[in-house]
Amino acid sequence: MAIPVPRHVVAHSSRGVVVAARIGYAAEAVVYSVLGTLAVMAAFGIAGGKLTDNKGALKALGDQPFGSALLWASALGMLCYALWNGVRAALDPEHKGSSGGALFARAGYAFSAGAHVLLAVYASQLAYGSSPSSGGTQTFVGKVLRYPFGAWLVAAFGLIAIGFGIAQVVKGVKGKVGQEYQRANLAPGWCRGVQRFARVGVSARGVVFALIGTSLVTAALKRDSSHAEGFAQALGQLANTPLGVGLLLFVAGGLLAYGIHLFFMARWGAFPEPR
């Protein structure tokens, strides 16, 4: 026989998850803002700029004054973000349903939850003073390719990344981002402005994921992990295109815009309370 849970306990738990979501989005905002700023600096050739990924952004935070405190705060934020995505995957508070697309999205939330738990561990190791191995995309892909059907698995991950990237670009272009602000107590002018940041940011992030996915498919077809690229390598590829540094600067600025979007999500985003 199921034990009934008091209604006030459910309410407090639901509000706690929403608070965790806001903390998680704030931590993600810091990481993407650092990542985008470093990439913009690299595009302009400013000293200290570099093309990196989430782990590189966490390392950069650790190099700042009070870096250890920033890293512990980031670790907590990553865990909060993982909790929110785990709830989205398991309880479907956004009522996406059980269609194929909805299940794909919820699987993505579950994957994100696991990835952010690993990021939290990485940040805490840095804060503790150890030097964790960042591994790298090529190292991981090389290990997977050694297994039977490893190439198929790498190709599948690549196709998923390409699909996710294209979906993000389409979402940004069509303006299907930032609706969360419309239900918040935010002035219409601010709402429209931040929505523009969100559209650019989501599109830029989608471009990077599509490039990563393409590199994974290439690595799988050639059974050569040297073709696999992570976030930093994908950004570097942009500078080698005919549009060169201009395209890199646009995407780098887009990642910074994505960080701004996440800051506003943390403060003004409307999150459904899971029941």
Side-chain angles (χ1 to χ4, degrees), residues 213-229:
T214 302
S215 74
L216 292 178
V217 172
T218 302
L221 291 174
K222 296 187 175 182
R223 288 174 169 74
D224 184 356
S225 63
S226 66
H227 293 280
E229 296 176 347

Side-chain angles (χ1 to χ4, degrees), residues 51 211 229 232-249:
L51 305 179
L211 289 174
E229 296 176 347
Q233 292 80 11
L235 288 174
Q237 283 295 327
L238 294 173
N240 297 326
T241 63
L243 296 177
V245 178
L247 182 57
L248 171 61
L249 183 60

Side-chain angles (χ1 to χ4, degrees), residues 14 31-32 35 70 120-121 136 144 165 179 186 193 205 210 212 223 233 238 249 253 258 274:
S14 298
V31 170
Y32 268 97
L35 194 159
L70 291 172
V121 172
V144 175
Q179 288 93 342
L186 189 62
R205 187 166 169 262
I212 292 172
R223 288 174 169 74
Q233 292 80 11
L238 294 173
L249 183 60
Y258 187 71

